[in-house]
Short mmCIF file of all heavy atoms in Angstrom, two decimals:
data_model
loop_
_atom_site.label_atom_id
_atom_site.label_comp_id
_atom_site.label_asym_id
_atom_site.label_seq_id
_atom_site.Cartn_x
_atom_site.Cartn_y
_atom_site.Cartn_z
N ALA A 51 -29.81 -12.58 -39.78
CA ALA A 51 -28.56 -12.08 -40.33
C ALA A 51 -27.62 -11.59 -39.23
O ALA A 51 -26.42 -11.88 -39.23
CB ALA A 51 -28.83 -10.95 -41.32
N VAL A 52 -28.20 -10.87 -38.28
CA VAL A 52 -27.40 -10.37 -37.15
C VAL A 52 -26.90 -11.54 -36.31
O VAL A 52 -25.72 -11.61 -35.95
CB VAL A 52 -28.22 -9.41 -36.28
CG1 VAL A 52 -27.44 -9.04 -35.03
CG2 VAL A 52 -28.55 -8.16 -37.08
N TRP A 53 -27.79 -12.44 -36.00
CA TRP A 53 -27.41 -13.58 -35.16
C TRP A 53 -26.31 -14.39 -35.83
O TRP A 53 -25.34 -14.79 -35.20
CB TRP A 53 -28.63 -14.43 -34.89
CG TRP A 53 -28.34 -15.66 -34.06
CD1 TRP A 53 -28.58 -16.95 -34.39
CD2 TRP A 53 -27.76 -15.68 -32.77
NE1 TRP A 53 -28.18 -17.78 -33.38
CE2 TRP A 53 -27.67 -17.04 -32.38
CE3 TRP A 53 -27.29 -14.70 -31.89
CZ2 TRP A 53 -27.13 -17.43 -31.16
CZ3 TRP A 53 -26.76 -15.09 -30.67
CH2 TRP A 53 -26.68 -16.44 -30.32
N GLY A 54 -26.43 -14.60 -37.13
CA GLY A 54 -25.40 -15.34 -37.85
C GLY A 54 -24.07 -14.61 -37.85
O GLY A 54 -23.01 -15.22 -37.68
N ALA A 55 -24.10 -13.29 -38.02
CA ALA A 55 -22.87 -12.50 -38.01
C ALA A 55 -22.20 -12.52 -36.65
O ALA A 55 -20.98 -12.63 -36.53
CB ALA A 55 -23.16 -11.07 -38.44
N VAL A 56 -23.01 -12.41 -35.59
CA VAL A 56 -22.47 -12.43 -34.24
C VAL A 56 -21.84 -13.79 -33.93
O VAL A 56 -20.74 -13.89 -33.39
CB VAL A 56 -23.56 -12.09 -33.20
CG1 VAL A 56 -23.06 -12.36 -31.79
CG2 VAL A 56 -23.98 -10.63 -33.34
N LYS A 57 -22.54 -14.86 -34.31
CA LYS A 57 -21.99 -16.20 -34.07
C LYS A 57 -20.69 -16.40 -34.82
O LYS A 57 -19.75 -16.99 -34.30
CB LYS A 57 -23.01 -17.27 -34.47
CG LYS A 57 -24.18 -17.41 -33.52
CD LYS A 57 -24.88 -18.75 -33.70
CE LYS A 57 -25.50 -18.88 -35.06
NZ LYS A 57 -26.26 -20.16 -35.19
N GLN A 58 -20.60 -15.89 -36.05
CA GLN A 58 -19.38 -16.03 -36.83
C GLN A 58 -18.24 -15.25 -36.18
O GLN A 58 -17.09 -15.73 -36.13
CB GLN A 58 -19.60 -15.54 -38.26
CG GLN A 58 -18.41 -15.75 -39.18
CD GLN A 58 -18.02 -17.20 -39.32
OE1 GLN A 58 -18.87 -18.04 -39.61
NE2 GLN A 58 -16.75 -17.51 -39.09
N ALA A 59 -18.56 -14.05 -35.68
CA ALA A 59 -17.52 -13.25 -35.02
C ALA A 59 -17.01 -13.94 -33.77
O ALA A 59 -15.81 -13.96 -33.49
CB ALA A 59 -18.06 -11.86 -34.67
N LEU A 60 -17.93 -14.53 -33.00
CA LEU A 60 -17.52 -15.26 -31.80
C LEU A 60 -16.70 -16.49 -32.15
O LEU A 60 -15.72 -16.82 -31.47
CB LEU A 60 -18.75 -15.66 -30.99
CG LEU A 60 -19.53 -14.50 -30.35
CD1 LEU A 60 -20.81 -15.02 -29.71
CD2 LEU A 60 -18.68 -13.78 -29.32
N LEU A 61 -17.09 -17.18 -33.23
CA LEU A 61 -16.32 -18.34 -33.67
C LEU A 61 -14.93 -17.93 -34.10
O LEU A 61 -13.94 -18.60 -33.76
CB LEU A 61 -17.05 -19.03 -34.83
CG LEU A 61 -16.33 -20.22 -35.47
CD1 LEU A 61 -16.08 -21.32 -34.44
CD2 LEU A 61 -17.13 -20.76 -36.64
N ASP A 62 -14.81 -16.84 -34.84
CA ASP A 62 -13.50 -16.35 -35.27
C ASP A 62 -12.62 -16.01 -34.07
O ASP A 62 -11.43 -16.31 -34.05
CB ASP A 62 -13.66 -15.11 -36.15
CG ASP A 62 -14.26 -15.43 -37.51
OD1 ASP A 62 -14.27 -16.62 -37.88
OD2 ASP A 62 -14.73 -14.50 -38.19
N ARG A 63 -13.24 -15.40 -33.06
CA ARG A 63 -12.49 -15.07 -31.85
C ARG A 63 -12.00 -16.33 -31.15
O ARG A 63 -10.86 -16.40 -30.70
CB ARG A 63 -13.35 -14.23 -30.90
CG ARG A 63 -12.60 -13.78 -29.65
CD ARG A 63 -13.44 -12.89 -28.78
NE ARG A 63 -14.60 -13.58 -28.25
CZ ARG A 63 -15.48 -13.01 -27.42
NH1 ARG A 63 -15.35 -11.74 -27.09
NH2 ARG A 63 -16.51 -13.70 -26.96
N GLU A 64 -12.86 -17.34 -31.07
CA GLU A 64 -12.47 -18.60 -30.44
C GLU A 64 -11.33 -19.28 -31.20
O GLU A 64 -10.39 -19.81 -30.60
CB GLU A 64 -13.68 -19.52 -30.36
CG GLU A 64 -13.39 -20.90 -29.77
CD GLU A 64 -13.07 -20.85 -28.29
OE1 GLU A 64 -13.29 -19.79 -27.66
OE2 GLU A 64 -12.60 -21.87 -27.76
N LEU A 65 -11.40 -19.25 -32.52
CA LEU A 65 -10.34 -19.86 -33.33
C LEU A 65 -9.02 -19.12 -33.14
O LEU A 65 -7.96 -19.74 -33.09
CB LEU A 65 -10.75 -19.87 -34.80
CG LEU A 65 -11.89 -20.82 -35.17
CD1 LEU A 65 -12.29 -20.64 -36.63
CD2 LEU A 65 -11.51 -22.27 -34.88
N ARG A 66 -9.08 -17.79 -33.05
CA ARG A 66 -7.85 -17.03 -32.79
C ARG A 66 -7.28 -17.39 -31.43
O ARG A 66 -6.06 -17.52 -31.27
CB ARG A 66 -8.14 -15.52 -32.87
CG ARG A 66 -8.37 -15.00 -34.27
CD ARG A 66 -8.21 -13.49 -34.33
NE ARG A 66 -9.07 -12.81 -33.38
CZ ARG A 66 -10.31 -12.44 -33.64
NH1 ARG A 66 -10.84 -12.70 -34.84
NH2 ARG A 66 -11.04 -11.81 -32.74
N TYR A 67 -8.15 -17.53 -30.45
CA TYR A 67 -7.70 -17.90 -29.10
C TYR A 67 -7.00 -19.25 -29.13
O TYR A 67 -5.91 -19.42 -28.57
CB TYR A 67 -8.90 -17.94 -28.16
CG TYR A 67 -8.58 -18.50 -26.79
CD1 TYR A 67 -8.00 -17.69 -25.81
CD2 TYR A 67 -8.84 -19.83 -26.48
CE1 TYR A 67 -7.69 -18.19 -24.55
CE2 TYR A 67 -8.54 -20.34 -25.22
CZ TYR A 67 -7.97 -19.52 -24.27
OH TYR A 67 -7.66 -20.03 -23.04
N LEU A 68 -7.60 -20.22 -29.80
CA LEU A 68 -7.00 -21.55 -29.86
C LEU A 68 -5.68 -21.53 -30.59
O LEU A 68 -4.74 -22.26 -30.23
CB LEU A 68 -7.97 -22.53 -30.54
CG LEU A 68 -9.26 -22.83 -29.77
CD1 LEU A 68 -10.18 -23.70 -30.61
CD2 LEU A 68 -8.95 -23.53 -28.44
N ALA A 69 -5.55 -20.71 -31.60
CA ALA A 69 -4.32 -20.64 -32.38
C ALA A 69 -3.18 -20.03 -31.59
O ALA A 69 -2.00 -20.30 -31.89
CB ALA A 69 -4.55 -19.84 -33.66
N LEU A 70 -3.49 -19.25 -30.58
CA LEU A 70 -2.46 -18.52 -29.83
C LEU A 70 -2.24 -19.07 -28.42
O LEU A 70 -1.42 -18.53 -27.68
CB LEU A 70 -2.84 -17.04 -29.73
CG LEU A 70 -3.02 -16.30 -31.05
CD1 LEU A 70 -3.47 -14.87 -30.79
CD2 LEU A 70 -1.75 -16.32 -31.88
N THR A 71 -2.95 -20.14 -28.06
CA THR A 71 -2.95 -20.61 -26.68
C THR A 71 -2.48 -22.05 -26.58
O THR A 71 -2.82 -22.89 -27.40
CB THR A 71 -4.38 -20.50 -26.09
OG1 THR A 71 -4.84 -19.15 -26.23
CG2 THR A 71 -4.38 -20.87 -24.61
N ASP A 72 -1.68 -22.32 -25.55
CA ASP A 72 -1.26 -23.68 -25.24
C ASP A 72 -2.39 -24.37 -24.49
O ASP A 72 -2.85 -23.89 -23.45
CB ASP A 72 0.00 -23.64 -24.37
CG ASP A 72 0.43 -25.02 -23.91
OD1 ASP A 72 0.76 -25.85 -24.76
OD2 ASP A 72 0.42 -25.26 -22.68
N ASP A 73 -2.85 -25.51 -25.00
CA ASP A 73 -4.05 -26.13 -24.42
C ASP A 73 -3.79 -26.77 -23.07
O ASP A 73 -4.72 -26.96 -22.29
CB ASP A 73 -4.64 -27.15 -25.38
CG ASP A 73 -3.67 -28.26 -25.76
OD1 ASP A 73 -2.50 -28.18 -25.36
OD2 ASP A 73 -4.08 -29.19 -26.47
N LEU A 74 -2.54 -27.09 -22.73
CA LEU A 74 -2.24 -27.70 -21.43
C LEU A 74 -2.24 -26.68 -20.31
O LEU A 74 -2.85 -26.87 -19.27
CB LEU A 74 -0.90 -28.43 -21.49
CG LEU A 74 -0.40 -29.01 -20.16
CD1 LEU A 74 -1.34 -30.11 -19.67
CD2 LEU A 74 1.02 -29.55 -20.31
N THR A 75 -1.54 -25.57 -20.52
CA THR A 75 -1.35 -24.58 -19.46
C THR A 75 -2.29 -23.39 -19.57
O THR A 75 -2.38 -22.59 -18.63
CB THR A 75 0.09 -24.06 -19.50
OG1 THR A 75 0.31 -23.39 -20.77
CG2 THR A 75 1.09 -25.20 -19.34
N CYS A 76 -2.96 -23.24 -20.72
CA CYS A 76 -3.80 -22.07 -21.00
C CYS A 76 -3.00 -20.77 -21.06
O CYS A 76 -3.56 -19.67 -20.97
CB CYS A 76 -4.95 -21.94 -20.00
SG CYS A 76 -6.11 -23.33 -20.07
N LEU A 77 -1.69 -20.88 -21.21
CA LEU A 77 -0.84 -19.72 -21.46
C LEU A 77 -0.78 -19.49 -22.97
O LEU A 77 -1.28 -20.27 -23.77
CB LEU A 77 0.58 -19.97 -20.93
CG LEU A 77 0.74 -20.29 -19.46
CD1 LEU A 77 2.20 -20.61 -19.15
CD2 LEU A 77 0.25 -19.15 -18.58
N TYR A 78 -0.14 -18.38 -23.35
CA TYR A 78 0.20 -18.22 -24.76
C TYR A 78 1.07 -19.38 -25.21
O TYR A 78 1.88 -19.91 -24.44
CB TYR A 78 0.98 -16.93 -24.98
CG TYR A 78 0.16 -15.66 -24.98
CD1 TYR A 78 0.44 -14.63 -24.08
CD2 TYR A 78 -0.87 -15.47 -25.90
CE1 TYR A 78 -0.29 -13.45 -24.09
CE2 TYR A 78 -1.60 -14.30 -25.92
CZ TYR A 78 -1.31 -13.30 -25.01
OH TYR A 78 -2.04 -12.13 -25.03
N ASN A 79 0.94 -19.78 -26.48
CA ASN A 79 1.93 -20.64 -27.10
C ASN A 79 2.98 -19.75 -27.75
O ASN A 79 2.97 -18.52 -27.57
CB ASN A 79 1.29 -21.61 -28.09
CG ASN A 79 0.51 -20.89 -29.19
OD1 ASN A 79 0.72 -19.71 -29.46
ND2 ASN A 79 -0.38 -21.61 -29.85
#
Side-chain angles (χ1 to χ4, degrees):
V52 173
W53 179 237
V56 170
K57 287 199 296 183
Q58 184 60 51
L60 292 174
L61 176 60
D62 290 344
R63 183 176 64 178
E64 177 69 12
L65 291 175
R66 287 198 305 272
Y67 172 82
L68 293 174
L70 301 177
T71 305
D72 175 63
D73 58 355
L74 175 64
T75 63
C76 297
L77 302 175
Y78 282 123
N79 58 19

